[in-house]
Amino acid sequence: MTSMPGKSLKGWLTRIGDLFAFAAGLAVVILVMTTVVAVAGRYVFGQPIFGIEDVSRVMLAFVVAGSIAYGARRGAHVHVDVISMQAGRRVLRVTDTIARLVGIAVAFLTSYALFTKGLCGKACGYFTPNLSIPHMPFYFALSLSMALFGLILLVDLFTGTPVEEHSSEDDGEQF
């Protein structure tokens, strides 16, 4: 018995999205611990910790990257589906295709822009102000996340299966 390439690709995209979510979860834990230490340092010991804002900002970049990738695969991004309430299936199919094509273009363009911006690095002054943490890895994480989002939209366009169908099956809930 052979499996369809689209199914296995969707499985890989889901796994990659889950890895991004795991990384984002770790970043949230680090962010919470950093905040607790910063608050304790400032208000309990009266000593603010130099550069704590830099660490918080870079952790937030990982949280955003993980959220984009995970949310794309699970259909968790906010969307309002007004067209399906007013138009028929044929119109919805056309508007869905147009929306996915626009989404693919925007996702890949954003991924490219983030990647090229990350390549410049310190030469362009892309580092945090206090600790001089380079922005490059965070640009790359965001770029990969947006590329994954574009791939998910592309696969869904060619397989004809919207992300929402998979997320409702996986979660056991339908809103």
Side-chain angles (χ1 to χ4, degrees):
M1 188 169 162
T2 60
S3 66
M4 291 176 47
K7 292 280 186 189
S8 62
L9 184 57
K10 282 186 181 185
W12 277 105
L13 292 175
T14 300
R15 287 185 196 103
I16 294 169
D18 290 345
L19 285 174
F20 268 91
F22 180 75
L26 285 177
V28 167
V29 169
I30 293 169
L31 185 61
V32 168
M33 291 186 328
T34 302
T35 304
V36 168
V37 168
V39 168
R42 178 178 296 269
Y43 296 108
V44 175
F45 301 112
Q47 295 290 340
I49 300 171
F50 178 75
I52 206 79
E53 298 89 10
D54 290 359
V55 174
S56 296
R57 287 180 186 161
V58 296
M59 286 300 110
L60 280 172
F62 273 127
V63 171
V64 170
S67 300
I68 290 169
Y70 181 77
R73 185 65 240 147
R74 300 294 180 181
H77 294 297
V78 176
H79 66 278
V80 179
D81 198 3
V82 177
I83 297 173
S84 68
M85 293 186 292
Q86 302 298 325
R89 231 165 163 35
R90 223 176 285 155
V91 172
L92 186 60
R93 195 169 305 147
V94 170
T95 58
D96 252 7
T97 302
I98 292 169
R100 284 189 184 149
L101 288 171
V102 169
I104 291 165
V106 168
F108 285 135
L109 182 64
T110 303
S111 177
Y112 173 76
L114 286 164
F115 184 79
T116 56
K117 198 153 182 110
L119 285 176
C120 189
K122 279 199 169 202
C124 294
Y126 298 141
F127 51 88
T128 60
N130 295 321
L131 299 177
S132 295
I133 301 170
H135 288 173
M136 184 186 319
F138 310 103
Y139 275 119
F140 290 161
L142 289 165
S143 175
L144 282 172
S145 182
M146 290 305 295
L148 179 63
F149 186 28
L151 279 174
I152 289 167
L153 289 173
L154 191 63
V155 167
D156 287 340
L157 177 70
F158 285 111
T159 60
T161 309
V163 175
E164 293 81 19
E165 285 183 16
H166 296 291
S167 65
S168 63
E169 290 171 6
D170 294 341
D171 297 348
E173 298 178 17
Q174 189 164 4
F175 295 100

